[in-house]
PDB file of all heavy atoms in Angstrom:
ATOM      1  N   GLU G 805      77.548   9.607 -65.927  1.00  0.00           N
ATOM      2  CA  GLU G 805      78.581  10.044 -64.998  1.00  0.00           C
ATOM      3  C   GLU G 805      77.985  10.887 -63.874  1.00  0.00           C
ATOM      4  O   GLU G 805      78.390  10.765 -62.713  1.00  0.00           O
ATOM      5  CB  GLU G 805      79.650  10.844 -65.753  1.00  0.00           C
ATOM      6  CG  GLU G 805      80.496   9.992 -66.702  1.00  0.00           C
ATOM      7  CD  GLU G 805      81.535  10.824 -67.428  1.00  0.00           C
ATOM      8  OE1 GLU G 805      81.490  12.069 -67.298  1.00  0.00           O
ATOM      9  OE2 GLU G 805      82.372  10.234 -68.126  1.00  0.00           O
ATOM     10  N   ALA G 806      77.017  11.745 -64.213  1.00  0.00           N
ATOM     11  CA  ALA G 806      76.373  12.565 -63.186  1.00  0.00           C
ATOM     12  C   ALA G 806      75.606  11.689 -62.193  1.00  0.00           C
ATOM     13  O   ALA G 806      75.637  11.934 -60.984  1.00  0.00           O
ATOM     14  CB  ALA G 806      75.444  13.583 -63.836  1.00  0.00           C
ATOM     15  N   LEU G 807      74.933  10.662 -62.704  1.00  0.00           N
ATOM     16  CA  LEU G 807      74.199   9.772 -61.821  1.00  0.00           C
ATOM     17  C   LEU G 807      75.145   8.982 -60.915  1.00  0.00           C
ATOM     18  O   LEU G 807      74.869   8.791 -59.725  1.00  0.00           O
ATOM     19  CB  LEU G 807      73.322   8.821 -62.641  1.00  0.00           C
ATOM     20  CG  LEU G 807      72.144   9.463 -63.391  1.00  0.00           C
ATOM     21  CD1 LEU G 807      71.428   8.421 -64.233  1.00  0.00           C
ATOM     22  CD2 LEU G 807      71.180  10.123 -62.430  1.00  0.00           C
ATOM     23  N   LEU G 808      76.247   8.513 -61.475  1.00  0.00           N
ATOM     24  CA  LEU G 808      77.229   7.788 -60.665  1.00  0.00           C
ATOM     25  C   LEU G 808      77.831   8.691 -59.595  1.00  0.00           C
ATOM     26  O   LEU G 808      78.038   8.269 -58.449  1.00  0.00           O
ATOM     27  CB  LEU G 808      78.326   7.217 -61.563  1.00  0.00           C
ATOM     28  CG  LEU G 808      77.900   6.101 -62.526  1.00  0.00           C
ATOM     29  CD1 LEU G 808      79.066   5.707 -63.424  1.00  0.00           C
ATOM     30  CD2 LEU G 808      77.384   4.896 -61.760  1.00  0.00           C
ATOM     31  N   ARG G 809      78.107   9.934 -59.975  1.00  0.00           N
ATOM     32  CA  ARG G 809      78.635  10.886 -59.002  1.00  0.00           C
ATOM     33  C   ARG G 809      77.623  11.156 -57.898  1.00  0.00           C
ATOM     34  O   ARG G 809      77.972  11.225 -56.717  1.00  0.00           O
ATOM     35  CB  ARG G 809      79.002  12.185 -59.722  1.00  0.00           C
ATOM     36  CG  ARG G 809      79.447  13.319 -58.804  1.00  0.00           C
ATOM     37  CD  ARG G 809      80.656  12.938 -58.002  1.00  0.00           C
ATOM     38  NE  ARG G 809      81.104  14.019 -57.146  1.00  0.00           N
ATOM     39  CZ  ARG G 809      81.988  13.885 -56.154  1.00  0.00           C
ATOM     40  NH1 ARG G 809      82.511  12.691 -55.902  1.00  0.00           N
ATOM     41  NH2 ARG G 809      82.351  14.929 -55.435  1.00  0.00           N
ATOM     42  N   ARG G 810      76.375  11.288 -58.267  1.00  0.00           N
ATOM     43  CA  ARG G 810      75.325  11.533 -57.292  1.00  0.00           C
ATOM     44  C   ARG G 810      75.171  10.341 -56.343  1.00  0.00           C
ATOM     45  O   ARG G 810      74.996  10.509 -55.125  1.00  0.00           O
ATOM     46  CB  ARG G 810      74.013  11.798 -58.030  1.00  0.00           C
ATOM     47  CG  ARG G 810      72.807  11.942 -57.153  1.00  0.00           C
ATOM     48  CD  ARG G 810      72.876  13.171 -56.251  1.00  0.00           C
ATOM     49  NE  ARG G 810      71.642  13.272 -55.514  1.00  0.00           N
ATOM     50  CZ  ARG G 810      70.506  13.741 -56.028  1.00  0.00           C
ATOM     51  NH1 ARG G 810      70.470  14.170 -57.280  1.00  0.00           N
ATOM     52  NH2 ARG G 810      69.431  13.807 -55.285  1.00  0.00           N
ATOM     53  N   ALA G 811      75.216   9.142 -56.879  1.00  0.00           N
ATOM     54  CA  ALA G 811      75.124   7.955 -56.039  1.00  0.00           C
ATOM     55  C   ALA G 811      76.292   7.890 -55.061  1.00  0.00           C
ATOM     56  O   ALA G 811      76.120   7.492 -53.895  1.00  0.00           O
ATOM     57  CB  ALA G 811      75.075   6.697 -56.909  1.00  0.00           C
ATOM     58  N   GLN G 812      77.478   8.275 -55.514  1.00  0.00           N
ATOM     59  CA  GLN G 812      78.638   8.298 -54.636  1.00  0.00           C
ATOM     60  C   GLN G 812      78.456   9.309 -53.500  1.00  0.00           C
ATOM     61  O   GLN G 812      78.784   9.035 -52.343  1.00  0.00           O
ATOM     62  CB  GLN G 812      79.897   8.631 -55.442  1.00  0.00           C
ATOM     63  CG  GLN G 812      81.163   8.789 -54.614  1.00  0.00           C
ATOM     64  CD  GLN G 812      81.568   7.506 -53.921  1.00  0.00           C
ATOM     65  OE1 GLN G 812      81.253   6.412 -54.406  1.00  0.00           O
ATOM     66  NE2 GLN G 812      82.272   7.627 -52.807  1.00  0.00           N
ATOM     67  N   LEU G 813      77.907  10.475 -53.816  1.00  0.00           N
ATOM     68  CA  LEU G 813      77.662  11.492 -52.785  1.00  0.00           C
ATOM     69  C   LEU G 813      76.631  11.003 -51.769  1.00  0.00           C
ATOM     70  O   LEU G 813      76.757  11.293 -50.569  1.00  0.00           O
ATOM     71  CB  LEU G 813      77.190  12.792 -53.437  1.00  0.00           C
ATOM     72  CG  LEU G 813      78.217  13.533 -54.296  1.00  0.00           C
ATOM     73  CD1 LEU G 813      77.588  14.774 -54.922  1.00  0.00           C
ATOM     74  CD2 LEU G 813      79.450  13.919 -53.477  1.00  0.00           C
ATOM     75  N   GLU G 814      75.643  10.265 -52.218  1.00  0.00           N
ATOM     76  CA  GLU G 814      74.653   9.737 -51.276  1.00  0.00           C
ATOM     77  C   GLU G 814      75.284   8.703 -50.352  1.00  0.00           C
ATOM     78  O   GLU G 814      74.948   8.647 -49.162  1.00  0.00           O
ATOM     79  CB  GLU G 814      73.471   9.141 -52.042  1.00  0.00           C
ATOM     80  CG  GLU G 814      72.620  10.194 -52.745  1.00  0.00           C
ATOM     81  CD  GLU G 814      71.372   9.617 -53.380  1.00  0.00           C
ATOM     82  OE1 GLU G 814      71.133   8.396 -53.202  1.00  0.00           O
ATOM     83  OE2 GLU G 814      70.629  10.362 -54.050  1.00  0.00           O
ATOM     84  N   ARG G 815      76.177   7.875 -50.877  1.00  0.00           N
ATOM     85  CA  ARG G 815      76.871   6.917 -50.014  1.00  0.00           C
ATOM     86  C   ARG G 815      77.737   7.654 -48.985  1.00  0.00           C
ATOM     87  O   ARG G 815      77.797   7.250 -47.810  1.00  0.00           O
ATOM     88  CB  ARG G 815      77.729   5.974 -50.863  1.00  0.00           C
ATOM     89  CG  ARG G 815      76.924   4.937 -51.639  1.00  0.00           C
ATOM     90  CD  ARG G 815      77.820   3.857 -52.210  1.00  0.00           C
ATOM     91  NE  ARG G 815      78.714   4.384 -53.223  1.00  0.00           N
ATOM     92  CZ  ARG G 815      78.446   4.407 -54.523  1.00  0.00           C
ATOM     93  NH1 ARG G 815      77.276   3.949 -54.944  1.00  0.00           N
ATOM     94  NH2 ARG G 815      79.301   4.881 -55.400  1.00  0.00           N
ATOM     95  N   GLU G 816      78.392   8.722 -49.407  1.00  0.00           N
ATOM     96  CA  GLU G 816      79.188   9.502 -48.466  1.00  0.00           C
ATOM     97  C   GLU G 816      78.301  10.168 -47.417  1.00  0.00           C
ATOM     98  O   GLU G 816      78.689  10.284 -46.245  1.00  0.00           O
ATOM     99  CB  GLU G 816      79.994  10.557 -49.229  1.00  0.00           C
ATOM    100  CG  GLU G 816      81.067   9.983 -50.139  1.00  0.00           C
ATOM    101  CD  GLU G 816      81.817  11.061 -50.899  1.00  0.00           C
ATOM    102  OE1 GLU G 816      81.587  12.259 -50.618  1.00  0.00           O
ATOM    103  OE2 GLU G 816      82.631  10.710 -51.776  1.00  0.00           O
ATOM    104  N   LEU G 817      77.112  10.600 -47.826  1.00  0.00           N
ATOM    105  CA  LEU G 817      76.185  11.198 -46.866  1.00  0.00           C
ATOM    106  C   LEU G 817      75.769  10.178 -45.816  1.00  0.00           C
ATOM    107  O   LEU G 817      75.677  10.504 -44.621  1.00  0.00           O
ATOM    108  CB  LEU G 817      74.958  11.742 -47.600  1.00  0.00           C
ATOM    109  CG  LEU G 817      73.856  12.339 -46.721  1.00  0.00           C
ATOM    110  CD1 LEU G 817      74.380  13.503 -45.896  1.00  0.00           C
ATOM    111  CD2 LEU G 817      72.678  12.784 -47.586  1.00  0.00           C
ATOM    112  N   LEU G 818      75.510   8.949 -46.216  1.00  0.00           N
ATOM    113  CA  LEU G 818      75.160   7.908 -45.253  1.00  0.00           C
ATOM    114  C   LEU G 818      76.304   7.657 -44.273  1.00  0.00           C
ATOM    115  O   LEU G 818      76.085   7.518 -43.066  1.00  0.00           O
ATOM    116  CB  LEU G 818      74.784   6.621 -45.984  1.00  0.00           C
ATOM    117  CG  LEU G 818      73.485   6.652 -46.812  1.00  0.00           C
ATOM    118  CD1 LEU G 818      73.331   5.349 -47.585  1.00  0.00           C
ATOM    119  CD2 LEU G 818      72.281   6.885 -45.919  1.00  0.00           C
ATOM    120  N   ASP G 819      77.524   7.596 -44.795  1.00  0.00           N
ATOM    121  CA  ASP G 819      78.676   7.365 -43.922  1.00  0.00           C
ATOM    122  C   ASP G 819      78.876   8.533 -42.954  1.00  0.00           C
ATOM    123  O   ASP G 819      79.143   8.334 -41.760  1.00  0.00           O
ATOM    124  CB  ASP G 819      79.938   7.163 -44.763  1.00  0.00           C
ATOM    125  CG  ASP G 819      79.897   5.880 -45.580  1.00  0.00           C
ATOM    126  OD1 ASP G 819      79.134   4.975 -45.208  1.00  0.00           O
ATOM    127  OD2 ASP G 819      80.628   5.791 -46.586  1.00  0.00           O
ATOM    128  N   THR G 820      78.741   9.754 -43.453  1.00  0.00           N
ATOM    129  CA  THR G 820      78.916  10.928 -42.599  1.00  0.00           C
ATOM    130  C   THR G 820      77.820  11.004 -41.551  1.00  0.00           C
ATOM    131  O   THR G 820      78.075  11.294 -40.375  1.00  0.00           O
ATOM    132  CB  THR G 820      78.926  12.210 -43.456  1.00  0.00           C
ATOM    133  OG1 THR G 820      79.963  12.119 -44.427  1.00  0.00           O
ATOM    134  CG2 THR G 820      79.146  13.431 -42.585  1.00  0.00           C
ATOM    135  N   GLY G 821      76.581  10.737 -41.969  1.00  0.00           N
ATOM    136  CA  GLY G 821      75.489  10.757 -41.008  1.00  0.00           C
ATOM    137  C   GLY G 821      75.653   9.726 -39.913  1.00  0.00           C
ATOM    138  O   GLY G 821      75.315   9.981 -38.750  1.00  0.00           O
ATOM    139  N   MET G 822      76.188   8.558 -40.257  1.00  0.00           N
ATOM    140  CA  MET G 822      76.432   7.548 -39.228  1.00  0.00           C
ATOM    141  C   MET G 822      77.443   8.040 -38.196  1.00  0.00           C
ATOM    142  O   MET G 822      77.316   7.738 -37.003  1.00  0.00           O
ATOM    143  CB  MET G 822      76.915   6.246 -39.869  1.00  0.00           C
ATOM    144  CG  MET G 822      77.213   5.140 -38.859  1.00  0.00           C
ATOM    145  SD  MET G 822      77.829   3.608 -39.605  1.00  0.00           S
ATOM    146  CE  MET G 822      76.334   3.023 -40.393  1.00  0.00           C
ATOM    147  N   GLN G 823      78.444   8.815 -38.632  1.00  0.00           N
ATOM    148  CA  GLN G 823      79.418   9.356 -37.691  1.00  0.00           C
ATOM    149  C   GLN G 823      78.733  10.276 -36.669  1.00  0.00           C
ATOM    150  O   GLN G 823      79.058  10.247 -35.477  1.00  0.00           O
ATOM    151  CB  GLN G 823      80.503  10.133 -38.447  1.00  0.00           C
ATOM    152  CG  GLN G 823      81.367   9.280 -39.363  1.00  0.00           C
ATOM    153  CD  GLN G 823      82.112   8.190 -38.613  1.00  0.00           C
ATOM    154  OE1 GLN G 823      82.675   8.438 -37.545  1.00  0.00           O
ATOM    155  NE2 GLN G 823      82.123   6.999 -39.175  1.00  0.00           N
ATOM    156  N   PHE G 824      77.773  11.060 -37.123  1.00  0.00           N
ATOM    157  CA  PHE G 824      77.030  11.907 -36.184  1.00  0.00           C
ATOM    158  C   PHE G 824      76.199  11.054 -35.227  1.00  0.00           C
ATOM    159  O   PHE G 824      76.136  11.336 -34.020  1.00  0.00           O
ATOM    160  CB  PHE G 824      76.126  12.871 -36.946  1.00  0.00           C
ATOM    161  CG  PHE G 824      76.830  14.080 -37.487  1.00  0.00           C
ATOM    162  CD1 PHE G 824      77.132  14.184 -38.834  1.00  0.00           C
ATOM    163  CD2 PHE G 824      77.198  15.122 -36.649  1.00  0.00           C
ATOM    164  CE1 PHE G 824      77.782  15.304 -39.339  1.00  0.00           C
ATOM    165  CE2 PHE G 824      77.854  16.241 -37.150  1.00  0.00           C
ATOM    166  CZ  PHE G 824      78.148  16.337 -38.495  1.00  0.00           C
ATOM    167  N   SER G 825      75.558  10.021 -35.735  1.00  0.00           N
ATOM    168  CA  SER G 825      74.755   9.153 -34.872  1.00  0.00           C
ATOM    169  C   SER G 825      75.613   8.498 -33.802  1.00  0.00           C
ATOM    170  O   SER G 825      75.243   8.456 -32.619  1.00  0.00           O
ATOM    171  CB  SER G 825      74.046   8.087 -35.708  1.00  0.00           C
ATOM    172  OG  SER G 825      73.081   8.657 -36.561  1.00  0.00           O
ATOM    173  N   LEU G 826      76.772   7.975 -34.196  1.00  0.00           N
ATOM    174  CA  LEU G 826      77.662   7.332 -33.242  1.00  0.00           C
ATOM    175  C   LEU G 826      78.186   8.328 -32.212  1.00  0.00           C
ATOM    176  O   LEU G 826      78.355   7.989 -31.032  1.00  0.00           O
ATOM    177  CB  LEU G 826      78.818   6.662 -33.979  1.00  0.00           C
ATOM    178  CG  LEU G 826      78.440   5.499 -34.910  1.00  0.00           C
ATOM    179  CD1 LEU G 826      79.668   4.984 -35.652  1.00  0.00           C
ATOM    180  CD2 LEU G 826      77.791   4.372 -34.117  1.00  0.00           C
ATOM    181  N   ALA G 827      78.449   9.564 -32.646  1.00  0.00           N
ATOM    182  CA  ALA G 827      78.920  10.587 -31.708  1.00  0.00           C
ATOM    183  C   ALA G 827      77.838  10.933 -30.690  1.00  0.00           C
ATOM    184  O   ALA G 827      78.119  11.104 -29.496  1.00  0.00           O
ATOM    185  CB  ALA G 827      79.363  11.830 -32.469  1.00  0.00           C
ATOM    186  N   LEU G 828      76.594  11.039 -31.137  1.00  0.00           N
ATOM    187  CA  LEU G 828      75.496  11.299 -30.209  1.00  0.00           C
ATOM    188  C   LEU G 828      75.306  10.139 -29.243  1.00  0.00           C
ATOM    189  O   LEU G 828      75.015  10.339 -28.053  1.00  0.00           O
ATOM    190  CB  LEU G 828      74.210  11.562 -30.995  1.00  0.00           C
ATOM    191  CG  LEU G 828      74.158  12.889 -31.773  1.00  0.00           C
ATOM    192  CD1 LEU G 828      72.966  12.898 -32.720  1.00  0.00           C
ATOM    193  CD2 LEU G 828      74.090  14.077 -30.831  1.00  0.00           C
ATOM    194  N   ASP G 829      75.484   8.913 -29.731  1.00  0.00           N
ATOM    195  CA  ASP G 829      75.403   7.755 -28.847  1.00  0.00           C
ATOM    196  C   ASP G 829      76.530   7.777 -27.813  1.00  0.00           C
ATOM    197  O   ASP G 829      76.315   7.465 -26.636  1.00  0.00           O
ATOM    198  CB  ASP G 829      75.476   6.463 -29.659  1.00  0.00           C
ATOM    199  CG  ASP G 829      74.216   6.221 -30.477  1.00  0.00           C
ATOM    200  OD1 ASP G 829      73.184   6.845 -30.165  1.00  0.00           O
ATOM    201  OD2 ASP G 829      74.264   5.416 -31.416  1.00  0.00           O
ATOM    202  N   SER G 830      77.731   8.136 -28.250  1.00  0.00           N
ATOM    203  CA  SER G 830      78.869   8.210 -27.334  1.00  0.00           C
ATOM    204  C   SER G 830      78.635   9.274 -26.265  1.00  0.00           C
ATOM    205  O   SER G 830      78.940   9.065 -25.084  1.00  0.00           O
ATOM    206  CB  SER G 830      80.153   8.505 -28.118  1.00  0.00           C
ATOM    207  OG  SER G 830      81.256   8.682 -27.248  1.00  0.00           O
ATOM    208  N   TYR G 831      78.090  10.403 -26.655  1.00  0.00           N
ATOM    209  CA  TYR G 831      77.794  11.474 -25.707  1.00  0.00           C
ATOM    210  C   TYR G 831      76.781  10.990 -24.663  1.00  0.00           C
ATOM    211  O   TYR G 831      76.932  11.236 -23.459  1.00  0.00           O
ATOM    212  CB  TYR G 831      77.254  12.679 -26.470  1.00  0.00           C
ATOM    213  CG  TYR G 831      77.008  13.910 -25.628  1.00  0.00           C
ATOM    214  CD1 TYR G 831      77.965  14.921 -25.564  1.00  0.00           C
ATOM    215  CD2 TYR G 831      75.822  14.081 -24.917  1.00  0.00           C
ATOM    216  CE1 TYR G 831      77.741  16.067 -24.800  1.00  0.00           C
ATOM    217  CE2 TYR G 831      75.588  15.213 -24.154  1.00  0.00           C
ATOM    218  CZ  TYR G 831      76.558  16.203 -24.102  1.00  0.00           C
ATOM    219  OH  TYR G 831      76.334  17.335 -23.332  1.00  0.00           O
ATOM    220  N   ALA G 832      75.750  10.290 -25.132  1.00  0.00           N
ATOM    221  CA  ALA G 832      74.722   9.799 -24.208  1.00  0.00           C
ATOM    222  C   ALA G 832      75.283   8.745 -23.260  1.00  0.00           C
ATOM    223  O   ALA G 832      74.982   8.744 -22.058  1.00  0.00           O
ATOM    224  CB  ALA G 832      73.544   9.240 -24.994  1.00  0.00           C
ATOM    225  N   ALA G 833      76.101   7.839 -23.793  1.00  0.00           N
ATOM    226  CA  ALA G 833      76.638   6.761 -22.959  1.00  0.00           C
ATOM    227  C   ALA G 833      77.598   7.281 -21.891  1.00  0.00           C
ATOM    228  O   ALA G 833      77.715   6.681 -20.820  1.00  0.00           O
ATOM    229  CB  ALA G 833      77.344   5.725 -23.837  1.00  0.00           C
ATOM    230  N   ALA G 834      78.271   8.401 -22.170  1.00  0.00           N
ATOM    231  CA  ALA G 834      79.243   8.938 -21.224  1.00  0.00           C
ATOM    232  C   ALA G 834      78.635   9.935 -20.243  1.00  0.00           C
ATOM    233  O   ALA G 834      79.349  10.508 -19.425  1.00  0.00           O
ATOM    234  CB  ALA G 834      80.380   9.618 -21.985  1.00  0.00           C
ATOM    235  N   THR G 835      77.335  10.146 -20.302  1.00  0.00           N
ATOM    236  CA  THR G 835      76.704  11.179 -19.484  1.00  0.00           C
ATOM    237  C   THR G 835      76.782  10.843 -18.001  1.00  0.00           C
ATOM    238  O   THR G 835      76.376   9.748 -17.592  1.00  0.00           O
ATOM    239  CB  THR G 835      75.230  11.341 -19.894  1.00  0.00           C
ATOM    240  OG1 THR G 835      75.162  11.710 -21.272  1.00  0.00           O
ATOM    241  CG2 THR G 835      74.545  12.412 -19.060  1.00  0.00           C
ATOM    242  N   PRO G 836      77.298  11.769 -17.178  1.00  0.00           N
ATOM    243  CA  PRO G 836      77.275  11.549 -15.726  1.00  0.00           C
ATOM    244  C   PRO G 836      75.840  11.516 -15.214  1.00  0.00           C
ATOM    245  O   PRO G 836      74.925  12.060 -15.823  1.00  0.00           O
ATOM    246  CB  PRO G 836      78.051  12.751 -15.169  1.00  0.00           C
ATOM    247  CG  PRO G 836      78.836  13.278 -16.329  1.00  0.00           C
ATOM    248  CD  PRO G 836      78.016  13.001 -17.539  1.00  0.00           C
ATOM    249  N   ARG G 837      75.667  10.898 -14.081  1.00  0.00           N
ATOM    250  CA  ARG G 837      74.331  10.755 -13.504  1.00  0.00           C
ATOM    251  C   ARG G 837      73.717  12.129 -13.232  1.00  0.00           C
ATOM    252  O   ARG G 837      74.356  13.020 -12.690  1.00  0.00           O
ATOM    253  CB  ARG G 837      74.413   9.953 -12.203  1.00  0.00           C
ATOM    254  CG  ARG G 837      73.050   9.693 -11.541  1.00  0.00           C
ATOM    255  CD  ARG G 837      73.232   8.970 -10.237  1.00  0.00           C
ATOM    256  NE  ARG G 837      73.870   7.689 -10.443  1.00  0.00           N
ATOM    257  CZ  ARG G 837      73.221   6.555 -10.721  1.00  0.00           C
ATOM    258  NH1 ARG G 837      71.900   6.584 -10.820  1.00  0.00           N
ATOM    259  NH2 ARG G 837      73.872   5.424 -10.885  1.00  0.00           N
ATOM    260  N   GLY G 838      72.473  12.276 -13.640  1.00  0.00           N
ATOM    261  CA  GLY G 838      71.742  13.495 -13.369  1.00  0.00           C
ATOM    262  C   GLY G 838      71.912  14.596 -14.394  1.00  0.00           C
ATOM    263  O   GLY G 838      71.332  15.671 -14.221  1.00  0.00           O
ATOM    264  N   GLN G 839      72.679  14.364 -15.479  1.00  0.00           N
ATOM    265  CA  GLN G 839      72.881  15.393 -16.491  1.00  0.00           C
ATOM    266  C   GLN G 839      72.183  14.988 -17.799  1.00  0.00           C
ATOM    267  O   GLN G 839      71.913  13.806 -18.027  1.00  0.00           O
ATOM    268  CB  GLN G 839      74.375  15.623 -16.736  1.00  0.00           C
ATOM    269  CG  GLN G 839      75.113  16.174 -15.524  1.00  0.00           C
ATOM    270  CD  GLN G 839      76.481  16.712 -15.894  1.00  0.00           C
ATOM    271  OE1 GLN G 839      76.733  17.042 -17.052  1.00  0.00           O
ATOM    272  NE2 GLN G 839      77.362  16.810 -14.914  1.00  0.00           N
ATOM    273  N   PRO G 840      71.873  15.980 -18.675  1.00  0.00           N
ATOM    274  CA  PRO G 840      71.202  15.655 -19.933  1.00  0.00           C
ATOM    275  C   PRO G 840      72.031  14.706 -20.787  1.00  0.00           C
ATOM    276  O   PRO G 840      73.258  14.804 -20.844  1.00  0.00           O
ATOM    277  CB  PRO G 840      71.043  17.023 -20.609  1.00  0.00           C
ATOM    278  CG  PRO G 840      71.104  18.011 -19.506  1.00  0.00           C
ATOM    279  CD  PRO G 840      72.040  17.441 -18.492  1.00  0.00           C
ATOM    280  N   ARG G 841      71.350  13.805 -21.477  1.00  0.00           N
ATOM    281  CA  ARG G 841      72.024  12.786 -22.281  1.00  0.00           C
ATOM    282  C   ARG G 841      72.183  13.190 -23.738  1.00  0.00           C
ATOM    283  O   ARG G 841      72.647  12.394 -24.544  1.00  0.00           O
ATOM    284  CB  ARG G 841      71.247  11.466 -22.192  1.00  0.00           C
ATOM    285  CG  ARG G 841      71.264  10.856 -20.805  1.00  0.00           C
ATOM    286  CD  ARG G 841      70.325   9.650 -20.723  1.00  0.00           C
ATOM    287  NE  ARG G 841      70.656   8.634 -21.692  1.00  0.00           N
ATOM    288  CZ  ARG G 841      71.589   7.698 -21.515  1.00  0.00           C
ATOM    289  NH1 ARG G 841      72.298   7.677 -20.400  1.00  0.00           N
ATOM    290  NH2 ARG G 841      71.803   6.788 -22.448  1.00  0.00           N
ATOM    291  N   ALA G 842      71.802  14.415 -24.100  1.00  0.00           N
ATOM    292  CA  ALA G 842      71.943  14.900 -25.478  1.00  0.00           C
ATOM    293  C   ALA G 842      72.459  16.334 -25.443  1.00  0.00           C
ATOM    294  O   ALA G 842      72.101  17.104 -24.547  1.00  0.00           O
ATOM    295  CB  ALA G 842      70.613  14.825 -26.215  1.00  0.00           C
TER     296      ALA G 842
END
C-alpha cells in the first residue's frame, strides 16, 4: 500500500510539474517584443 501510494504521488508530481512547464511556455509565448521571456 505504501508503494502504491508513493507511485500515485509521483504521478501527481509529473502532472503538477507539467502545469508549471506549460505556464512558463505561455508566459514566454505572450512576451511583448523587447521584454524578458521568463
Side-chain angles (χ1 to χ4, degrees):
E805 291 180 352
L807 292 176
L808 293 176
R809 175 60 179 167
R810 175 65 176 282
Q812 176 64 27
L813 293 178
E814 290 186 4
R815 286 192 294 268
E816 293 179 7
L817 177 60
L818 292 174
D819 293 338
T820 303
M822 179 182 289
Q823 295 300 316
F824 280 104
S825 293
L826 295 176
L828 290 169
D829 289 342
S830 176
Y831 185 97
T835 300
R837 182 183 299 272
Q839 296 194 22
R841 294 172 57 84

